[in-house]
Amino acid sequence: MSESMKAVIAEHIDAPLKSVILAVPTPKPGEVRVRVAASGVNPLDLKIRAGKAPHAKHPLPAVLGMDMAGIVDSVGSEVDQFKQGDRVFGLTGGIGGHQGALAEYQVVDAALLAKVPESMSLREAASIPLIFITAWEGIVDRAKVSEGQSVLVHGGAGGVGQMAVQIAKAHGAEVYATGKAQDAETIRNLGATPIDFERTSVEEYLNQYTGGAGFDIVYDTVGGTVLDNAFESVKTYTGHVVSCLGWGTHSLAPLSFRGATYSGVFTLMPLQTGKARAHHGHIMQQASKLVDNSQLRVIQDPNKFDLSQTNEAHSHIMAGRAKGKVVITIADI
């Protein structure tokens, strides 16, 4: 194989991404090298590029792209769960100073990966990692969802929201999700009852769907005043609120007066710290199982972008034209 590879880097804040030639990396013990097939684009990628994501700890210049799907090309020592030719996916880089997936090859900690289900294309698989892990950590790891519980997902038509709805449904929960009027069909098709937050007050949907008692689990994927609403809509004593965007200043009084609990989700921590990376690999295995059981799908934007069109892909998202998850194809494999 060639000793060099094509990649795209964010060189300066708010500058166009630049096509470059880099050396192909070599896997160390515990790592695999992957020939990248595709990378899903997340809002955080755009924030890093704009210099508005200090929590990602990804200094520029850098290769972006957190979500990756591809084929194992080379296996380092101390790796026994993968072999050359395996189709894999995961949340693998693009933050914390780790090379992202917008390159022809990526060296990855094998603990972060899982095998892509046979029923799913690599392009589809590249859409899943960040949003699925974020949803799973909230719904399963923090809130301990169980059969028969009532779950409210704020932002149910968004990336994390779609995953949260499907994970909760797969665990036997009764799921509701907020969105705009135009999101209702998407939310309904995912298996949840849609709630138009622009036309329905918290009190109204609490009374309509819980008899005023509140929901067992409320997952906020939006932040700001939506998290405040979540504190108002959780069940007394046993209710649990989770947020992946709980970064603002909020009054905990509504939550405290209900005797309810709260958890935050920070999906980037294993990549940044090196701790609990194997748990991310385990979560990705659960994604594969749900796909195989026809309990998980992702809505993709129909537009096709390749590595040379990464700037166009980002512009497509920034202009608000994306109709689902945007994926950049690195190689047709």
Side-chain angles (χ1 to χ4, degrees), residues 60-295:
L60 305 184
V63 177
L64 304 183
M66 292 174 282
D67 287 341
M68 183 275 293
I71 297 177
V72 174
D73 166 77
S74 179
V75 180
S77 61
E78 302 176 17
V79 176
D80 55 16
Q81 68 269 49
F82 300 109
K83 65 183 185 302
Q84 190 174 10
D86 282 344
R87 302 187 332 142
V88 294
F89 65 154
L91 172 62
T92 54
I95 60 165
H98 301 286
Q99 181 207 306
L102 294 180
E104 292 180 300
Y105 292 91
Q106 185 182 19
V107 162
V108 178
D109 185 335
L112 295 166
L113 297 171
K115 292 180 182 178
V116 174
E118 290 300 322
S119 61
M120 177 168 271
S121 71
L122 290 173
R123 188 173 184 274
E124 289 174 307
S127 304
I128 289 177
L130 176 64
I131 56 176
F132 185 85
I133 293 171
T134 303
W136 184 277
E137 287 189 347
I139 290 289
V140 179
D141 292 346
R142 306 288 185 273
K144 312 293 184 187
V145 66
S146 61
E147 187 174 356
Q149 286 187 312
S150 59
V151 175
L152 173 63
V153 178
H154 283 303
V160 176
Q162 289 182 31
M163 298 292 106
V165 166
Q166 293 175 90
I167 291 168
K169 286 291 293 183
H171 282 78
E174 183 70 28
V175 187
Y176 305 83
T178 62
K180 296 182 178 180
Q182 60 263 36
D183 299 326
E185 184 178 359
T186 296
I187 289 170
R188 195 174 287 111
N189 288 340
L190 292 169
T193 299
I195 298 172
D196 184 343
F197 73 89
E198 293 180 316
R199 300 178 183 177
T200 314
S201 69
V202 174
E203 183 179 8
E204 286 171 339
Y205 63 70
L206 275 185
N207 287 332
Q208 181 175 356
Y209 297 115
T210 74
F215 298 91
D216 293 303
I217 298 169
V218 183
Y219 195 163
D220 159 49
T221 72
V222 182
T225 58
V226 176
L227 179 53
D228 295 320
N229 291 341
F231 292 156
E232 298 274 4
S233 55
V234 69
K235 185 176 289 186
T236 301
Y237 291 130
T238 58
H240 193 83
V241 175
V242 185
S243 179
C244 57
L245 285 173
W247 302 341
T249 301
H250 301 269
S251 170
L252 294 178
L255 191 69
S256 299
F257 288 141
R258 283 167 173 76
T261 53
Y262 169 80
S263 295
V265 173
F266 186 51
T267 316
L268 310 185
M269 201 178 303
L271 252 182
Q272 291 179 344
T273 66
K275 297 177 182 178
R277 287 185 176 177
H279 185 53
H280 272 195
H282 169 75
I283 294 173
M284 293 309 302
Q285 291 172 13
Q286 306 315 305
S288 291
K289 290 178 182 178
L290 291 182
V291 169
D292 281 338
N293 291 334
S294 300
Q295 292 175 302

Side-chain angles (χ1 to χ4, degrees), residues 12-78:
H12 305 291
I13 290 175
D14 268 342
L17 300 172
K18 181 180 178 181
S19 296
V20 296
I21 301 296
L22 301 176
V24 174
T26 301
K28 300 182 180 67
E31 296 179 335
V32 298
R33 184 172 64 216
V34 179
R35 185 183 177 199
V36 181
S39 179
V41 184
N42 294 288
L44 183 54
D45 295 312
L46 277 62
K47 291 179 182 177
I48 293 171
R49 175 181 172 180
K52 297 178 180 177
H55 62 287
K57 299 181 180 179
H58 201 48
L60 305 184
V63 177
L64 304 183
M66 292 174 282
D67 287 341
M68 183 275 293
I71 297 177
V72 174
D73 166 77
S74 179
V75 180
S77 61
E78 302 176 17

